[in-house]
Amino acid sequence: MGDLGGPGIIAERLAAVKAELPAGVTLVAVSKTQPPEAIREAYAAGQRHFGENYAQEWRQKADALSDLAGLTWHFIGGLQTNKVKYLAPRAAWIHTLDRDELARELGKRYAAAGVTARVLVEVNLGGEAQKSGCAPDRVDGLVALARDLPGLEVAGLMCIPPPGDDPRPHFIRLRALRDRLGLRELSMGMSADWRIAVEEGATLIRIGTALFGERPSRD
Ligand SMILES: *Cc1c(COP(=O)(O)O)cnc(C)c1O
């Protein structure tokens, strides 16, 4: 298990980040590999949006935390089509839509549950340096397809700049693409670069280690 930093530390870190956030920016606390108790501590401090990366791990935590009213789950991890069944309908936001087949499966599962998922198209702005995400020249087609599917609301775009790159040009490009498509949300910025993302117009920032400390390993 990781060191949670002692009682109160998560609340302090949350307050410090929130104090710097302009109105209209939602902080998604990335709790992957963190135990349910860490999420409870953040929730007790007023945090309501949480992000998870691994479908089955998330499902277990969502069950363990089902008593926490108003908690909103964001799925931010790479998503295999056969894992969508674990997410629908309780993950309200999906940040990693990157292909047509996944859009169809998400639409099918959420529509069957009578729920609309807010989806963000993950854009691969890093080219060869990056494996996940939809190529920029395919974003229009994917957005158009997803917009026509029941069960999905296309809310915006998401990116993860390749490690080692200056993130700012990536954030600027994502914002321009979002504006051209007439979408609202921009999910960008992590522990190391969220201030830059906010300067460039992020509406959702995804922060893990800067809130919860180093992650416990997954094995
Ligand atoms: C793990 C993860 C984060 C959080 O990263 P930190 O550096 O711990 O803040 C944000 N977004 C995605 C997609 C992630 O996988």
Side-chain angles (χ1 to χ4, degrees), residues 99-151:
R99 58 196 191 278
D100 294 359
E101 177 204 24
L102 184 57
R104 290 196 190 92
E105 179 68 8
L106 284 164
K108 189 177 95 184
R109 296 273 176 182
Y110 277 82
V115 171
T116 299
R118 292 185 171 161
V119 296
L120 304 166
V121 172
E122 179 182 355
V123 185
N124 177 342
L125 297 169
E128 292 292 297
Q130 216 171 358
K131 292 203 172 65
S132 64
C134 173
D137 63 357
R138 291 184 37 241
V139 172
D140 286 65
L142 180 53
V143 167
L145 175 102
R147 272 178 166 157
D148 278 346
L149 291 171

Side-chain angles (χ1 to χ4, degrees), residues 30 32 53 76 158 160 190-192 206-210 215:
V30 176
K32 63 180 173 212
N53 290 58
I76 65 169
M158 178 272 213
I160 309 170
M190 308 181 13
S191 290
R206 312 176 309 267
I207 303 190
T209 45
R215 276 185 280 279

Side-chain angles (χ1 to χ4, degrees), residues 187-198:
S187 170
M188 56 192 201
M190 308 181 13
S191 290
D193 57 16
W194 64 268
R195 288 182 181 85
I196 300 168
V198 168

